[in-house]
Amino acid sequence: EATGWGGGTVRLFHRSRGQYLRSRVEGVVCCDSSPADGADPSDLWRMEQRPGPEGGYAFSSEAHGGALAFASDEANPRLCTVPPAGAAVNEVEAAWNVDPVLPRAISSSKIKTFAIGTSVAVGTTVAMPFLMAGMLAVIPAEATLAASIL
């Protein structure tokens, strides 16, 4: 079960091919190297958790509502979409297991920059009281000198 996941819209990306899964018309699924623009929902899929002991997730196309399925034709196995009712596809063939793959969010150079910035901030915070005490020690002496001249 995906904690905190109530369903939503996702783009499916094939990592090794570097392409997005797209379905413009029901029955046909293809891959494209760039995501669709905002007006074209062909690469957007509604993701919903499936009830029951098998679990998994179901994906349906935002463009036409067809469910993403695997056609188990032995001569030509392929991805396809089927009508939302799923009459033409076995339930198991339209259920998908999802293993999240998170991108590396912070590179080593970003971590190094953050560490240097934090060190400067902490160093400044520690040194500031001593700097102010030194300034107070210097200012009265100069103010006394200036007052004696006038």
Side-chain angles (χ1 to χ4, degrees):
E1 178 176 328
T3 305
W5 181 259
T9 304
V10 296
R11 279 194 171 96
L12 300 176
F13 185 73
H14 193 291
R15 287 183 37 178
S16 64
R17 291 178 68 176
Q19 295 181 324
Y20 293 90
L21 202 60
R22 176 171 288 156
S23 180
R24 287 191 171 93
V25 294
E26 191 170 307
V28 179
V29 174
C30 63
C31 290
D32 199 344
S33 59
S34 61
D37 63 5
D40 180 11
S42 63
D43 67 345
L44 297 177
W45 301 86
R46 280 188 305 276
M47 180 177 172
E48 298 172 359
Q49 191 167 9
R50 296 179 56 89
E54 292 85 24
Y57 291 87
F59 294 93
S60 56
S61 171
E62 279 286 316
H64 52 76
L68 180 63
F70 181 75
S72 58
D73 176 10
E74 302 218 6
N76 186 21
R78 61 186 171 80
L79 288 175
C80 63
T81 57
V82 295
V89 173
N90 182 329
E91 290 293 321
V92 176
E93 294 171 332
W96 301 90
N97 289 331
V98 176
D99 296 326
V101 178
L102 301 176
R104 187 172 168 193
I106 300 176
S107 67
S108 60
S109 65
K110 288 182 182 177
I111 291 173
K112 196 180 303 181
T113 303
F114 179 73
I116 290 170
T118 302
S119 299
V120 169
V122 169
T124 304
T125 303
V126 170
M128 190 58 67
F130 299 106
L131 180 64
M132 294 306 289
M135 292 294 288
L136 290 175
V138 171
I139 290 175
E142 290 181 11
T144 307
L145 181 64
S148 65
I149 294 175
L150 294 173

